[in-house]
Amino acid sequence: MRLLVTGAAGFIGSNYVRNRVERNPDDHVVALDLLTYAGNRANLADLEDRITFVQADIGDTDEVEMVLRDHKIDAVVNFAAESHNSLAILDPALFFRTNVLGTQGLCEAARRAGVGRFHHVSTCEVYGDLPLDDDAAIFTEESPYAPRTPYNASKAGGDHVVRAYHETFGLPITITNCANNFGPYQFPEKVLPLFTTLALDDQPLPMYESSDNRREWIHALDHADAIDLILDRGVVGETYHVGTGVELSVKQICDLVLSTLDKPSSLVVTVPDRPGHDRRYLLDWSKIKRELGWEPKIPVEDGIRDTIRWYADNRAWWEPLRDRAPVVESGWTADGRPA
Ligand SMILES: NC(=O)c1ccc[n+]([C@@H]2O[C@H](COP(=O)([O-])OP(=O)(O)OC[C@H]3O[C@@H](n4cnc5c(N)ncnc54)[C@H](O)[C@@H]3O)[C@@H](O)[C@H]2O)c1
């Protein structure tokens, strides 16, 4: 297959590309990324001679159309996005530009070039949040969209764009809404690598007051396998949830970091929450299991501990990135300013 992977120099995109070329050595893979602060060529360093890298903006329809035509691309997998909830509080316009208008620009390029499949990567966060005291509450593919933050709303907007391109122009799309990913190469602004890299340096770990808030966790490579299965056998026009059912609170993530690295709990400092901090997400992923036979393979707690050890072993990868992080997490005021 001839694939264009956007956002390929980010966390999940680079894990996806590595997984793809290892399993499909005959594929022609074009990795496209704008290289924002979150994009990093080093994430693809071991793959450079097996892929073609293009630095471009997904919103630049003419340029992307040219890439699609030049490389005779069969399928697009779109990971490109602004992805950090905290940055979205400080610069919401950037998120709507990239995640809504950028997605539209990419869909338009795919439509013009006549690609055979457009797979869009989305999140559980488009549905809003669930209460903490109702274990039966869960999001299905039919749940209404009810995003509560600029990041979530921009991802929801992107999903609507992709569906509109399918319904109106016949673009052959599929969508995945996935749970919280962990794994190597995640920018050290997100909670697991943030806590891990701070703990490795014996720095305070800023834990939000609502540390019972919980997320469903999945390894990025299990997410990658789900997308490949959907590219092979998924039904055009359909959305598939990708999850594990394994939930861990912010406090439990913090405890895993401290116990894996043998660091004291005195490193933890409680800070005021980010406004709009969602309480809980949980996806019903029975559709992809039932229809395509997909199941996650990596046990969540083992995978998280391996990821923490990866950061301990790869200081040279993350240390230079810390200065590029646009938000310093030290708590928030109620009106959305860093405390
Ligand atoms: N991280 C998660 O837990 C999670 C969960 C579900 C869904 N997702 C979705 O998966 C995708 C990838 O997330 P991630 O965590 O790897 O994010 P990331 O921030 O690590 O990577 C995003 C990449 O997109 C690139 N990019 C940004 N704007 C671009 C543009 N205009 N044109 C081209 N490239 C651009 C960045 O340079 C970066 O390399 C996103 O769409 C995100 O919403 C993430």
Side-chain angles (χ1 to χ4, degrees), residues 6-15 32-40 43 54-60 64 78-84 94 97-99 102-103 120-125 151 155 176-182 185-187 189-190 216-218 223 242 324:
T6 70
F11 160 47
I12 311 175
S14 62
N15 276 284
L32 182 145
D33 201 294
L34 184 58
L35 297 179
T36 68
Y37 78 93
N40 186 358
N43 296 0
V54 176
Q55 183 171 1
D57 186 334
I58 54 164
D60 186 339
V64 177
N78 179 30
F79 292 97
E82 289 294 339
S83 69
H84 190 32
L94 171 66
R97 274 199 303 275
T98 299
N99 299 352
T103 301
H120 179 65
V121 178
S122 189
T123 164
C124 55
E125 303 190 24
Y151 165 66
K155 289 297 292 182
T176 39
N177 294 85
C178 188
N180 247 49
N181 284 224
F182 62 86
Y185 302 103
Q186 188 171 29
F187 195 90
E189 64 188 352
K190 307 284 170 40
E216 180 183 16
W217 293 87
I218 181 170
H223 185 183
V242 180
R324 280 164 53 177

Side-chain angles (χ1 to χ4, degrees), residues 53-73:
F53 184 82
V54 176
Q55 183 171 1
D57 186 334
I58 54 164
D60 186 339
T61 300
D62 291 344
E63 184 169 3
V64 177
E65 183 189 352
M66 207 169 63
V67 173
L68 293 171
R69 289 187 189 280
D70 284 353
H71 290 272
K72 300 184 171 49
I73 294 296

Side-chain angles (χ1 to χ4, degrees), residues 77-261:
V77 182
N78 179 30
F79 292 97
E82 289 294 339
S83 69
H84 190 32
N85 256 307
S86 295
L87 180 60
I89 309 273
L90 302 180
D91 191 357
L94 171 66
F95 282 65
F96 290 100
R97 274 199 303 275
T98 299
N99 299 352
V100 184
L101 293 177
T103 301
Q104 187 274 329
L106 183 65
C107 284
E108 181 61 27
R111 174 171 90 101
R112 287 187 201 163
V115 299
R117 177 67 74 82
F118 185 99
H119 183 79
H120 179 65
V121 178
S122 189
T123 164
C124 55
E125 303 190 24
V126 297
Y127 300 112
D129 70 346
L130 296 169
L132 290 173
D133 57 1
D134 179 2
D135 283 346
I138 197 161
F139 297 126
T140 71
E141 283 90 351
E142 279 73 46
S143 294
Y145 275 32
R148 299 178 62 251
T149 72
Y151 165 66
N152 301 350
S154 69
K155 289 297 292 182
D159 293 8
H160 292 317
V161 166
V162 172
R163 280 202 194 92
Y165 264 75
H166 174 62
E167 299 291 344
T168 308
F169 303 115
L171 188 69
I173 63 116
T174 41
I175 298 177
T176 39
N177 294 85
C178 188
N180 247 49
N181 284 224
F182 62 86
Y185 302 103
Q186 188 171 29
F187 195 90
E189 64 188 352
K190 307 284 170 40
V191 67
L192 179 62
L194 177 72
F195 282 180
T196 302
T197 53
L198 289 169
L200 283 166
D201 279 350
D202 299 306
Q203 296 290 313
L205 273 50
M207 185 151 70
Y208 289 159
E209 274 159 358
S210 50
S211 60
D212 288 339
N213 284 5
R214 53 191 205 260
R215 303 289 180 254
E216 180 183 16
W217 293 87
I218 181 170
H219 198 290
L221 292 177
D222 274 327
H223 185 183
D225 277 346
I227 292 170
D228 278 344
L229 196 57
I230 290 166
L231 281 183
D232 275 356
R233 306 215 318 264
V235 177
V236 165
E238 290 293 311
T239 290
Y240 298 88
H241 281 179
V242 180
T244 59
V246 180
E247 294 180 271
L248 290 170
S249 69
V250 180
K251 179 163 186 325
Q252 286 172 307
I253 290 291
C254 186
D255 290 344
L256 274 175
V257 170
L258 295 175
S259 64
T260 306
L261 298 177

